[in-house]
Amino acid sequence: MGRAPCCDKNQVKKGTWTHAEDLKLSSFVLTHGHGNWRSLPRRAGLQRCGKSCRLRWINYLSPDVKRGNFSPEEDQLIINLHSALGNKWSKIAAHLPGRTDNEIKNVWNTRLKKKKSTLPTSPSTDSCISYADPNMDEHDKVRDVEQNKTLDGSSKGGQESSDNYVNVVDSPSTIIIPGEQPLEMESNEIDSINWDFLSNNNININVDLPPAGGESNIAVATRPQSLDDQVSQLKSFFVGEYDIDHQLKQQDNVAIDDWVKYMAHELGLEEVDQSQLYNNSCKPEQQLDEITKLKEEDIDVTNFPMWDFGF
DNA sequence: AATGAACGCAACCGCAGTATT
DNA sequence: CAATACTGCGGTTGCGTTCAT
């Protein structure tokens, strides 16, 4: 006896969503929250499967979804993350605010896979770090701040760096910041990094783990708060928060600022001007009121303000 | 201009993991 | 502890659009 189907397939509509259905779903979720997806279609008056509603909301209707083409920086980040994580689309999506796993998967399959195959092999993606547990799957070795893991200090290898990466090599390890003197770190210093602090301050550090070899790469990615906040956080991390004794401490702060800003730019972390994202001048609640007043036949597709809920 | 191929994207499906009863 | 329900993920499909011939 198998599991009961999630919905009666004879009773639910399939295929492309209409604007009227979008309206019903958006209005319902924005006023009531989604709660139980399975019961949502009935409560919202939709003849759709709950899974279908969830997918439509997450991938298309949610105000968190960022529209528009992927920037070159986003493309590069996806390529780098895919090298480390494989087809873990949701994990990759977690590093690209506003992008969904489905969207990233599509971009990879239609564009980036070919793009990557035409590029020369990069040292930053073909190198590796050796771990204590040799049985661990390569992709599972990705260190994730949320999981509170730390680097193993036994890495070996070269010192190549790419623009978006800070490389950790050898033991004692060396952090190579583009344009700066190498930063020596003992493995225990790396292990002492306060991952909670980074996580609490929305600074994500990912270790990009290629196949067998010696080198690892740490990509610095953050969520978009204000650029100033990011600068101060990144600075505190790299130049003294953990009392790392290295040449960078004596460097001119201007150079550090320049590098941090450069990194922020490369990673697309510049502060977002909300007024440019959401052109509609009225507040989200007002927009919702206006939308819910509309009759289905009144919907003007060209003016449908689906993405204007600028919370 | 017609048509078939390639592309891009939204949506569906089945499975696995987790929560609840 | 087992059965069931629910959610989320990744693979795949189908369809509309664009491009090449």
Side-chain angles (χ1 to χ4, degrees), chain A residues 18-20 294 296-307:
Chain A
T18 65
H19 291 280
L294 289 171
E296 289 193 11
E297 59 267 30
D298 290 333
I299 298 167
D300 177 353
V301 173
T302 58
N303 289 318
F304 195 58
M306 192 52 70
W307 300 287

Side-chain angles (χ1 to χ4, degrees), chain A residues 123-138:
Chain A
S124 67
T125 56
D126 285 348
S127 50
C128 182
I129 185 169
S130 60
Y131 281 83
D133 180 1
N135 297 319
M136 191 184 284
D137 180 78
E138 288 295 334

Side-chain angles (χ1 to χ4, degrees), chain A residues 19-287:
Chain A
H19 291 280
E21 288 176 312
D22 282 347
L23 175 63
K24 278 185 180 175
L25 179 57
S26 302
S27 301
F28 186 87
V29 174
L30 287 168
T31 44
H32 303 99
H34 61 74
N36 183 328
W37 284 111
R38 190 183 170 96
S39 64
L40 184 143
R42 181 178 44 79
R43 291 184 291 146
L46 286 160
Q47 289 191 311
R48 289 276 180 176
C49 171
K51 283 176 81 168
S52 179
C53 292
R54 176 185 161 270
L55 208 63
R56 184 65 179 170
W57 174 257
I58 289 173
N59 286 336
Y60 198 74
L61 299 176
S62 167
D64 295 332
V65 175
K66 187 166 138 188
R67 316 304 303 182
N69 295 333
F70 280 62
S71 68
E73 289 79 15
E74 286 177 310
D75 284 353
Q76 188 58 52
L77 189 53
I78 292 169
I79 290 171
N80 291 339
L81 289 168
H82 188 271
S83 296
L85 299 164
N87 295 358
K88 302 291 182 188
W89 306 116
S90 61
K91 283 190 166 52
I92 293 172
H95 294 271
L96 288 106
R99 302 299 190 183
T100 68
D101 51 358
N102 204 40
E103 197 178 11
I104 291 168
K105 180 171 57 183
N106 284 333
V107 166
W108 174 262
N109 286 328
T110 57
R111 212 160 43 80
L112 297 183
K113 191 158 62 177
K114 293 172 215 158
K115 181 180 173 184
K116 191 194 176 191
S117 66
T118 62
L119 293 173
T121 306
S122 159
S124 67
T125 56
D126 285 348
S127 50
C128 182
I129 185 169
S130 60
Y131 281 83
D133 180 1
N135 297 319
M136 191 184 284
D137 180 78
E138 288 295 334
H139 287 154
D140 289 338
K141 292 176 185 173
V142 172
R143 283 345 194 217
D144 192 327
V145 170
E146 288 120 43
Q147 292 174 3
N148 231 10
K149 294 175 179 174
T150 59
L151 278 170
D152 180 282
S154 59
S155 54
K156 300 193 185 316
Q159 295 194 358
E160 296 90 344
S161 65
S162 62
D163 286 348
N164 286 356
Y165 283 92
V166 176
N167 292 349
V168 177
V169 296
D170 289 325
S171 182
S173 298
T174 304
I175 290 184
I176 300 172
I177 300 171
E180 301 293 341
Q181 293 294 314
L183 183 162
E184 299 289 337
M185 283 184 89
E186 293 293 337
S187 57
N188 62 352
E189 288 178 309
I190 294 176
D191 282 341
S192 70
I193 287 173
N194 186 336
W195 298 98
D196 277 337
F197 170 86
L198 298 178
S199 182
N200 292 338
N201 288 281
N202 291 327
I203 300 175
N204 300 325
I205 306 269
N206 309 299
V207 180
D208 180 1
L209 286 173
E215 174 189 352
S216 67
N217 307 296
I218 293 183
V220 180
T222 69
R223 300 180 196 285
Q225 299 171 357
S226 78
L227 179 58
D228 284 343
D229 283 347
Q230 304 296 343
V231 169
S232 63
Q233 287 168 9
L234 289 170
K235 273 177 69 175
S236 67
F237 171 54
F238 282 111
V239 298
E241 182 75 25
Y242 304 100
D243 195 25
I244 300 164
D245 184 18
H246 62 83
Q247 298 172 353
L248 208 53
K249 274 186 173 174
Q250 287 97 47
Q251 302 260 332
D252 183 351
N253 272 343
V254 173
I256 298 165
D257 281 347
D258 284 347
W259 173 77
V260 172
K261 284 176 181 170
Y262 166 79
M263 286 290 287
H265 173 73
E266 284 297 300
L267 295 165
L269 303 175
E270 285 95 341
E271 186 173 5
V272 177
D273 183 354
Q274 295 293 323
S275 66
Q276 289 184 3
L277 275 182
Y278 306 107
N279 293 324
N280 196 325
S281 58
C282 70
K283 293 180 177 178
E285 312 84 65
Q286 293 171 317
Q287 292 178 25

